[in-house]
Amino acid sequence: MLHPPSRLVEVVAGVIRDARGRVLLSRRTEGRDLAGLWEFPGGKREPGETAEAALSRELHEELGIEAEVGAELIRVPQAYPDKRLVLDVREIRAWRGSARGREGQALVWVPPHKLASYAMPPADRPVVAALEQADRYLVTPEPGVGDEDWLAALSASLAAGMRRVQLRAPQLANAADAQRWARLVAAAVKRCRAAKAEVLINGDLALATSLGVGLHLRAAQLRELSQRPIASSLPLAASCHDADELRAAQALGCDFAVLGSIKPTPSHPSVLGIGWEAFAALRESVSLPIYAIGGLGLEDLGEARRHGAQGIAAIRSLWAPV
């Protein structure tokens, strides 16, 4: 089974910012599950309540503030030993009052870039990634015969806002064409760095290490490793297809994963995707940020976030032709 047959708890939480842009965290008090960990403020949704009404009520009871609930950020399904939880996180557009721990809980205002350093429950960790990391993960297509055209299309994609890129060309990255691919990758890395985009290389540890960039593991590589292959200062990701691979990626110390295929793709139109419900069920097994992949475009970002995804990964829909 993908998750234990246990009770489902619906929880709402808010991203509350102060005038300096810092985000409010609340510490779980002694006597509660996961005591001592930091979380986004909120609480359980009662039967018959809307998410907005529940969050407004919880923030008043917990913090003594009047909150104006804004847009959805992400819904995170998460399995715990004794329950299944869905954490529905909303932006708080505005709030009035003086936030204080009315239930004896400690509070702290945290600069966004430091949120990841706070120990949190598993369901809250993907929320930090949703706030701070790219919601699109571009996977490059094969270069074909025109290297300059490929590099120009990469530059156009970066100009269009891509900030996380996987350099991938399985047909080119073989012994006969390895030198050509290495030259292309070096040129691509320069362009990504100039655009302040995070870059990972598919499968090639030696090339990633030599260029000082991240590594994206294939599922087969993931199964062969027992420890993180690159420094913790460099991003590490993995392609996954089931719960075992997701758990392996998390145990290895991957920073994020890619999961799919969600829908049929142009390259495999007859292969049915797993769909969003299966994606959400698999997402419950780990606390990693996970991109959904397979037949997806920018129009799917909202649906992806509602099922716990960091965002979408894609080739065709994110690659800017020139």
Side-chain angles (χ1 to χ4, degrees), residues 16 24 26 41-42 55-67 95-105 107:
I16 304 169
L24 185 64
S26 172
L55 184 53
S56 294
R57 173 184 55 77
E58 284 286 346
L59 295 181
H60 178 71
E61 292 174 359
E62 187 177 331
L63 304 174
I65 64 172
E66 301 295 330
W95 55 280
R96 298 178 300 279
S98 178
R100 61 192 188 282
R102 298 180 73 185
E103 299 170 351
Q105 75 276 30
L107 303 178

Side-chain angles (χ1 to χ4, degrees), residues 193 198-200 205 207-215 228-237 253-256:
R193 283 175 169 159
E198 186 177 77
V199 58
L200 298 88
L205 174 59
L207 188 55
T209 302
S210 68
L211 293 171
V213 299
L215 177 67
R228 186 183 175 100
I230 61 172
S232 59
S233 59
L234 297 173
L236 179 66
C254 287
D255 299 294
F256 63 92

Side-chain angles (χ1 to χ4, degrees), residues 20-191:
R20 295 166 56 186
R22 298 177 303 174
V23 176
L24 185 64
L25 295 181
S26 172
R27 196 170 197 177
R28 295 180 68 84
T29 54
E30 293 300 322
R32 301 175 65 194
D33 292 343
L34 306 173
L37 298 184
W38 295 92
E39 63 184 0
F40 294 90
K44 293 180 184 178
R45 179 178 170 182
E46 299 297 338
E49 275 189 313
T50 65
E52 293 81 1
L55 184 53
S56 294
R57 173 184 55 77
E58 284 286 346
L59 295 181
H60 178 71
E61 292 174 359
E62 187 177 331
L63 304 174
I65 64 172
E66 301 295 330
E68 183 180 336
V69 179
E72 297 177 351
L73 177 65
I74 189 171
R75 282 172 54 90
V76 183
Q78 187 72 50
Y80 289 87
D82 61 333
K83 62 179 178 287
R84 293 173 54 227
L85 180 145
V86 177
L87 178 62
D88 185 349
V89 184
R90 307 297 180 99
E91 296 277 1
I92 300 302
R93 277 196 297 260
W95 55 280
R96 298 178 300 279
S98 178
R100 61 192 188 282
R102 298 180 73 185
E103 299 170 351
Q105 75 276 30
L107 303 178
V108 63
W109 292 98
V110 184
H113 69 279
K114 292 186 177 181
L115 286 169
S117 65
Y118 283 74
M120 292 183 174
D124 289 74
R125 294 173 195 155
V127 182
V128 175
L131 285 170
E132 284 295 289
Q133 299 178 28
D135 62 3
R136 282 154 274 189
Y137 184 31
L138 169 64
V139 183
T140 60
E142 293 284 347
V145 296
D147 290 0
E148 289 305 317
D149 289 343
W150 186 87
L151 287 169
L154 173 62
S155 293
S157 301
L158 294 168
M162 295 302 120
R163 290 297 174 264
R164 181 171 266 173
V165 177
Q166 178 191 154
L167 301 177
R168 178 181 179 272
Q171 294 179 27
L172 194 62
N174 56 41
D177 293 312
Q179 289 186 343
R180 176 191 170 199
W181 177 234
R183 289 194 299 270
L184 260 181
V185 166
V189 166
K190 287 183 180 179
R191 298 186 186 210

